[in-house]
Amino acid sequence: MLDNKENPLTSLEKLGEFGLIDHLTQSIQIAQESTQTGVGDDAAVLNFDGLQTVVSTDMLVEGVHFNLAYVPLKHLGYKSVVVNLSDIYAMNAVPTQILVSIAVSNRFSLEAIEEIYEGIKIACKRYNVDLVGGDTTSSQSGLVLSITAIGQAKTEDLCYRNGANANDLLVVSGDLGGAYLGLQVLERENEVFKANPNMQPSLEEYEYIVGRQLKPEAGKHIVELLAELEVKPTSMIDVSDGLSSEILHLSKQSGYGFKIYEEKIPLDPMVIKTAEEFGINPITCALNGGEDYELLFTISQSDFPKIKGNPNLTVIGHTTEQNADNYLILNGSESAVPLTAQGWTSF
Amino acid sequence: MLDNKENPLTSLEKLGEFGLIDHLTQSIQIAQESTQTGVGDDAAVLNFDGLQTVVSTDMLVEGVHFNLAYVPLKHLGYKSVVVNLSDIYAMNAVPTQILVSIAVSNRFSLEAIEEIYEGIKIACKRYNVDLVGGDTTSSQSGLVLSITAIGQAKTEDLCYRNGANANDLLVVSGDLGGAYLGLQVLERENEVFKANPNMQPSLEEYEYIVGRQLKPEAGKHIVELLAELEVKPTSMIDVSDGLSSEILHLSKQSGYGFKIYEEKIPLDPMVIKTAEEFGINPITCALNGGEDYELLFTISQSDFPKIKGNPNLTVIGHTTEQNADNYLILNGSESAVPLTAQGWTSF
């Protein structure tokens, strides 16, 4: 049915994730007065008389987003909620409800699904959101989780991806690259285990980065911190695909180029040590690894004194000119490397 | 990882869909003031200052909910939206936005996904809803669609599943059993085609029921009709799993028993003819077939004059007493058959 067309077909591999999204969404039209922002930001914004309602959805697929050989089901449930809430926080909004759909094959027992739900409920409690609906169905193979998060914000608090101005500072919360390296450790231990099932995985010394991969947290504390500091970012996004890719989003939507500095990118000592062990540049992990779920945002230079010295926030660069390219300035040099998007290429 | 527990595991097969949902949702707690109704109705109801926001989500899995051997991708996209909107209409609300997540394996081309989106967009236009977000990802095998619909209603217009009162009339829109028989025809023609690929399927004479299966419509016209007639149902649900199962939902949630009459159940002549061809009782198709996406609701007897004689609405029974069982009264007799839930048993 799919193969008997006469024209040659476009492969998804060639298009890539962002190309596909652009392609599929370019002709979407908005008809409802209440739809303030649709596709194209971390979450849609709906205006229902007064407070803004923010919604976002994400799908996690077995074998693509997680491997049950080393991801405990409870962690999976927790993470699936967190990655959605992260999109709501990236709007500078507060998540209030989620809906959860799960497809499972008959190789899963009730207890297995309960484990997933247990993680979901822990996340709901941690982030004070209500699970208000969903769907549970069977699949022929594999586990699929689809979560929709809904949140609220005052109109004046919302942060979009397109708001950066000339000479804004680029700020990131926490540190980067850990989730990617945590995954490398888990995959390596899994290979060891497959080769010799009597070997127990040695994960203790990698606790921080393995935790970043298995049980990430969303930017609740950062949104609260920004409110406390009275800093309203001019634009914001969460780091799900990697720093590089997120900067390109902010750049494309604002029209400004960005310059970031290698020496400023926040790295945990364990990230540096583990990257060395794997023979990778830790900066590459930060730029292209993804899944750190930190918040990346721009602020006006006049807000710099408010965030200066805060251990949770690092200024890593700034916007340049309109329509300029995006660059990484290498340590101790004037060399500039163009930033390129990786995203996922699992097609 | 899932098999090394000491306690025997509960099979999902034994539990069934509704048992699983009850089990998983029984301990969910509501923390947000804005969550008016969470899990347990066709859609959750959120109260964001003023208008009620209604959200609902559904997942469609290849090989479980559809077979791409005979479901055109455009129809699949259309139907996946319609089944979600149906849940919003079943609240007597108006859908306003949807979010769409799709997981596809690399056997799908861009054109294939475009076909799905084309159907989604046609449905959005037909029902005047905005596609405001989503996620597109890869899967290792098969196609999964997950859609969340958001809608609005005035507080006083919302219809829940639990509102039926003693001696209310039970009303269904349109006719029943067609979608199930349409599926039987499609599956039969697919078997014929597999046996002899040169055979062309003969679907013309089954156009109505095949259309009911491949391109169902949600109850927009019924919700509009009820507003026009100034009838506010006391409870409402959409017929997704079959008449029997939906009546049991209304009964369980209201606490009243229901009695329905075989002779009153609306059947299209093609449903009767095709059921005969397949050697099935057409009433069984209506009771257990599902996927008709008609609206089933209760009204006060005092509203009967307003709907009397309307060709879109049929009174098929009534509530009886509190805590009473649910019965089908057979044609020309006093015999009463207890109604039992089938739901899907695909686990």
Side-chain angles (χ1 to χ4, degrees):
Chain A
M1 176 168 243
L2 304 175
D3 301 318
N4 61 3
K5 298 199 177 177
E6 286 187 308
N7 296 328
L9 301 176
T10 315
S11 82
L12 293 178
E13 208 169 346
K14 201 173 126 195
L15 208 63
E17 178 190 11
F18 304 126
L20 176 62
I21 292 172
D22 279 352
H23 185 92
L24 294 174
T25 58
Q26 64 193 8
S27 66
I28 291 173
Q29 288 174 347
I30 298 299
Q32 286 284 344
E33 228 181 274
S34 57
T35 305
Q36 187 159 318
T37 304
V39 179
D41 216 300
D42 294 286
V45 178
L46 316 178
N47 185 346
F48 293 120
D49 276 27
L51 270 180
Q52 307 281 345
T53 301
V54 180
V55 292
S56 180
T57 194
D58 260 310
M59 195 177 245
L60 285 93
V61 179
E62 184 179 354
V64 177
H65 301 96
F66 56 89
N67 181 338
L68 291 179
Y70 50 78
V71 176
L73 292 167
K74 198 187 283 185
H75 287 72
L76 177 64
Y78 189 90
K79 181 172 176 174
S80 67
V81 175
V82 165
V83 303
N84 274 274
L85 301 187
S86 182
D87 281 327
I88 303 293
Y89 289 119
M91 304 296 292
N92 205 28
V94 175
T96 48
Q97 288 89 11
I98 59 164
L99 298 105
V100 175
S101 290
I102 301 185
V104 284
S105 69
N106 57 12
R107 76 183 160 93
F108 290 89
S109 65
L110 171 63
E111 285 74 8
I113 303 183
E114 278 180 326
E115 279 286 297
I116 298 172
Y117 259 80
E118 189 56 32
I120 288 171
K121 288 172 188 171
I122 292 170
C124 285
K125 199 163 180 196
R126 159 89 176 77
Y127 289 94
N128 193 35
V129 300
D130 295 333
L131 174 56
V132 297
D135 194 13
T136 309
T137 183
S138 59
S139 81
Q140 288 198 315
S141 70
L143 173 64
V144 181
L145 282 160
S146 178
I147 297 195
T148 300
I150 299 167
Q152 294 183 310
K154 290 188 199 140
T155 309
E156 61 270 28
D157 289 339
L158 283 168
C159 290
Y160 298 89
R161 291 184 179 178
N162 66 3
N165 301 308
N167 304 312
D168 274 357
L169 298 176
L170 182 65
V171 186
V172 71
S173 65
D175 55 73
L176 299 172
Y180 175 78
L181 284 164
L183 181 63
Q184 304 314 307
V185 169
L186 286 166
E187 286 186 344
R188 183 181 64 187
E189 295 305 317
N190 188 42
E191 290 303 316
V192 170
F193 176 79
K194 282 197 291 188
N196 179 358
N198 292 322
M199 289 287 285
Q200 282 299 307
S202 60
L203 299 175
E204 290 77 16
E205 57 175 312
Y206 302 103
E207 194 183 341
Y208 176 67
I209 57 174
V210 167
R212 292 284 282 176
Q213 170 59 224
L214 291 181
K215 196 171 171 293
E217 299 294 348
K220 182 172 189 279
H221 56 298
I222 301 301
V223 166
E224 288 166 359
L225 175 67
L226 290 171
E228 212 174 280
L229 299 173
E230 296 181 359
V231 172
K232 159 97 194 279
T234 52
S235 65
M236 188 147 66
I237 193 169
D238 67 327
V239 182
S240 54
D241 294 314
L243 182 59
S244 205
S245 168
E246 316 308 352
I247 290 173
L248 294 180
H249 280 301
L250 296 181
S251 173
K252 187 181 171 190
Q253 297 220 2
S254 68
Y256 284 95
F258 282 79
K259 205 176 266 186
I260 61 169
Y261 299 86
E262 182 183 4
E263 62 194 10
K264 301 290 188 191
I265 295 174
L267 301 172
D268 186 86
M270 192 186 290
V271 165
I272 297 168
K273 185 176 158 288
T274 313
E276 200 171 295
E277 198 183 314
F278 279 85
I280 327 173
N281 184 339
I283 295 294
T284 306
C285 301
L287 289 175
N288 301 325
E291 293 202 278
D292 291 312
Y293 299 104
E294 296 295 343
L295 290 176
L296 177 72
F297 53 94
T298 51
I299 62 170
S300 163
Q301 289 206 23
S302 61
D303 279 334
F304 177 64
K306 299 180 190 168
I307 68 153
K308 194 181 168 185
N310 191 300
N312 295 297
L313 303 175
T314 310
V315 178
I316 59 170
H318 54 83
T319 53
T320 56
E321 287 155 25
Q322 278 203 302
N323 304 314
D325 287 331
N326 299 285
Y327 290 104
L328 169 71
I329 309 300
L330 297 181
N331 273 358
S333 79
E334 290 293 303
S335 303
V337 182
L339 292 177
T340 54
Q342 303 271 333
W344 48 262
T345 49
S346 42
F347 277 127
Chain B
M1 177 166 243
L2 304 174
D3 300 316
N4 60 3
K5 298 203 176 175
E6 285 186 307
N7 296 326
L9 300 175
T10 314
S11 82
L12 293 178
E13 207 168 346
K14 200 172 126 196
L15 207 65
E17 180 190 10
F18 304 127
L20 175 63
I21 293 172
D22 280 351
H23 185 91
L24 294 174
T25 58
Q26 65 195 5
S27 66
I28 292 172
Q29 287 174 349
I30 298 299
Q32 287 285 343
E33 229 180 88
S34 57
T35 304
Q36 185 158 319
T37 305
V39 179
D41 216 300
D42 294 288
V45 179
L46 316 178
N47 185 348
F48 293 119
D49 275 27
L51 271 180
Q52 307 281 344
T53 301
V54 180
V55 291
S56 179
T57 194
D58 260 310
M59 196 178 245
L60 286 93
V61 179
E62 183 179 353
V64 177
H65 300 97
F66 57 88
N67 182 337
L68 290 179
Y70 49 78
V71 176
L73 292 167
K74 198 187 284 184
H75 287 72
L76 177 64
Y78 189 90
K79 181 171 176 174
S80 67
V81 174
V82 165
V83 304
N84 273 274
L85 301 186
S86 182
D87 281 327
I88 303 293
Y89 289 118
M91 304 296 290
N92 205 28
V94 176
T96 48
Q97 288 89 9
I98 59 165
L99 299 104
V100 175
S101 290
I102 301 185
V104 284
S105 69
N106 57 10
R107 76 181 159 93
F108 290 89
S109 65
L110 171 63
E111 285 74 9
I113 303 184
E114 279 180 326
E115 279 285 298
I116 298 172
Y117 259 80
E118 189 57 33
I120 288 171
K121 288 173 188 170
I122 292 171
C124 285
K125 200 165 179 193
R126 158 90 176 78
Y127 288 94
N128 194 35
V129 300
D130 294 333
L131 174 55
V132 297
D135 195 12
T136 309
T137 183
S138 60
S139 81
Q140 288 197 315
S141 69
L143 174 64
V144 180
L145 282 161
S146 178
I147 297 194
T148 300
I150 298 167
Q152 295 183 308
K154 288 188 200 141
T155 309
E156 61 270 28
D157 288 340
L158 282 168
C159 291
Y160 297 88
R161 290 183 180 179
N162 67 2
N165 300 308
N167 303 313
D168 274 357
L169 298 177
L170 181 66
V171 185
V172 71
S173 66
D175 55 74
L176 299 172
Y180 175 77
L181 284 164
L183 181 62
Q184 304 314 307
V185 169
L186 286 166
E187 288 187 343
R188 183 180 65 186
E189 295 305 316
N190 188 42
E191 289 304 317
V192 169
F193 175 78
K194 282 199 290 191
N196 180 356
N198 292 321
M199 288 287 285
Q200 283 299 306
S202 58
L203 298 175
E204 292 77 15
E205 57 175 310
Y206 301 103
E207 194 183 340
Y208 176 67
I209 57 174
V210 167
R212 293 284 281 175
Q213 170 58 225
L214 291 182
K215 196 171 171 292
E217 298 294 348
K220 182 173 191 278
H221 56 299
I222 301 301
V223 165
E224 289 167 358
L225 175 66
L226 290 171
E228 212 174 280
L229 298 174
E230 294 180 1
V231 172
K232 159 97 193 276
T234 52
S235 67
M236 187 147 67
I237 193 170
D238 67 326
V239 182
S240 54
D241 294 314
L243 181 59
S244 204
S245 168
E246 316 309 351
I247 289 173
L248 293 180
H249 280 301
L250 295 182
S251 172
K252 187 182 170 188
Q253 297 221 2
S254 67
Y256 285 94
F258 283 78
K259 206 177 265 186
I260 61 169
Y261 299 87
E262 183 183 4
E263 63 192 12
K264 301 290 187 191
I265 295 174
L267 301 171
D268 186 86
M270 192 186 290
V271 165
I272 297 169
K273 185 174 159 289
T274 313
E276 199 169 297
E277 199 182 313
F278 279 85
I280 328 174
N281 184 339
I283 294 295
T284 306
C285 300
L287 289 174
N288 301 325
E291 292 203 280
D292 291 313
Y293 298 104
E294 295 296 344
L295 289 176
L296 177 72
F297 53 93
T298 51
I299 62 170
S300 162
Q301 288 205 22
S302 61
D303 278 335
F304 177 64
K306 298 180 189 168
I307 67 152
K308 194 181 167 185
N310 191 301
N312 294 298
L313 304 174
T314 309
V315 178
I316 60 170
H318 54 82
T319 54
T320 57
E321 286 155 24
Q322 277 204 303
N323 303 315
D325 287 331
N326 299 286
Y327 291 104
L328 169 71
I329 309 300
L330 299 181
N331 273 358
S333 79
E334 290 294 303
S335 304
V337 183
L339 291 177
T340 53
Q342 303 270 333
W344 48 261
T345 49
S346 41
F347 277 129

